[in-house]
Amino acid sequence: MHHRHSERHVTGRMGWLRAAVLGANDGIVSTASLVLGVAAAHASSQNILIAGTAGLVAGAMSMAAGEYVSVHSQADSEAAELARERRELETDVEGEHKELAAIYVGRGLEPALARQVAEQLMKHDALDAHMRDELGITETLKARPIQAAGASALSFALGAALPLVVVALAPAGVLLWSVFLTSLVFLAILGGLAARTGGANMRTGALRITFWGALAMAITTGVGMLFGVAA
């Protein structure tokens, strides 16, 4: 009787999860902070909504461009490393075999077994073996610029839309507190969901993201109040 051992790992989610959480968090915090700053300076509800909408569009484009450039730089570095490794495999197979075996010895294998493992893996796919064990590049965690850019832009837009919905619905007299408190709720939910998706503690994730979001909104509101008084 065979026992099937099933495991669920979250490392495959790390690429898009990081970009999505960063985008959604930035969308909520930056848009809510912008809205609170403008509202604290005694702007009209229409101007607050216009400023928030402009912040949504600009922020989503900025997140997409920034993620694409950043992750593409990583992808370029990975491609350059693989090209260098491919040339070394073509010109010095024996040296690469010894290098791979030394890695396995360093991880705890006996020298004879390490040489055998290196030989078999290189016969199967030499470049893949060196990519994974020498360079630390795996298919699961490989840089994906388009995926990261899309996840960041979409999540930013969704996050930024939440405070704007509150601005559109909340009465002018309680707009500041409505945006502030609901944004904290949105951030806590985001932090908890992100932590759960990544296999981390939900309470810690929620508290961390809520604290820094509250600090950012409070500072921006204070700046808006200063300019409002000065005006």
Side-chain angles (χ1 to χ4, degrees), residues 166-193:
V166 177
V167 171
L169 298 178
V174 294
L175 190 146
L176 275 171
W177 281 109
S178 297
V179 172
F180 185 80
L181 294 176
T182 55
S183 295
L184 290 183
V185 173
F186 298 147
L187 288 171
I189 293 172
L190 172 64
L193 290 176

Side-chain angles (χ1 to χ4, degrees), residues 139-159:
E139 191 62 33
T140 300
L141 301 178
K142 201 172 183 180
R144 293 178 173 85
I146 297 295
Q147 182 189 70
S152 292
L154 179 60
S155 59
F156 183 97
L158 292 175

Side-chain angles (χ1 to χ4, degrees), residues 7 23 27 29 114 162:
E7 292 183 345
V29 173
L162 296 176

Side-chain angles (χ1 to χ4, degrees), residues 77-97:
S77 297
E78 291 177 354
E81 288 292 328
L82 288 177
R84 184 180 300 110
E85 197 63 33
R86 191 177 288 109
R87 289 194 300 270
E88 292 174 353
L89 286 169
E90 292 173 353
T91 58
D92 187 14
V93 177
E94 184 61 26
E96 290 299 298
H97 180 278

Side-chain angles (χ1 to χ4, degrees), residues 50-187:
I50 291 173
T53 303
L56 184 156
V57 176
M61 296 300 99
S62 177
M63 287 293 293
E67 278 292 319
Y68 182 82
V69 171
S70 174
V71 178
H72 210 297
S73 296
Q74 179 185 342
D76 290 342
S77 297
E78 291 177 354
E81 288 292 328
L82 288 177
R84 184 180 300 110
E85 197 63 33
R86 191 177 288 109
R87 289 194 300 270
E88 292 174 353
L89 286 169
E90 292 173 353
T91 58
D92 187 14
V93 177
E94 184 61 26
E96 290 299 298
H97 180 278
K98 291 179 180 178
E99 186 177 34
L100 195 61
I103 292 173
Y104 299 141
V105 170
R107 292 180 181 176
L109 294 184
E110 294 291 333
L113 180 58
R115 288 192 295 269
Q116 184 181 1
V117 171
E119 181 180 355
Q120 291 185 3
L121 288 177
M122 287 185 67
K123 282 183 178 179
H124 175 70
D125 191 333
L127 183 61
D128 179 73
H130 282 271
M131 177 180 74
R132 181 183 61 251
D133 295 323
E134 180 185 350
L135 303 178
I137 302 173
T138 64
E139 191 62 33
T140 300
L141 301 178
K142 201 172 183 180
R144 293 178 173 85
I146 297 295
Q147 182 189 70
S152 292
L154 179 60
S155 59
F156 183 97
L158 292 175
L162 296 176
L164 293 182
V165 171
V166 177
V167 171
L169 298 178
V174 294
L175 190 146
L176 275 171
W177 281 109
S178 297
V179 172
F180 185 80
L181 294 176
T182 55
S183 295
L184 290 183
V185 173
F186 298 147
L187 288 171

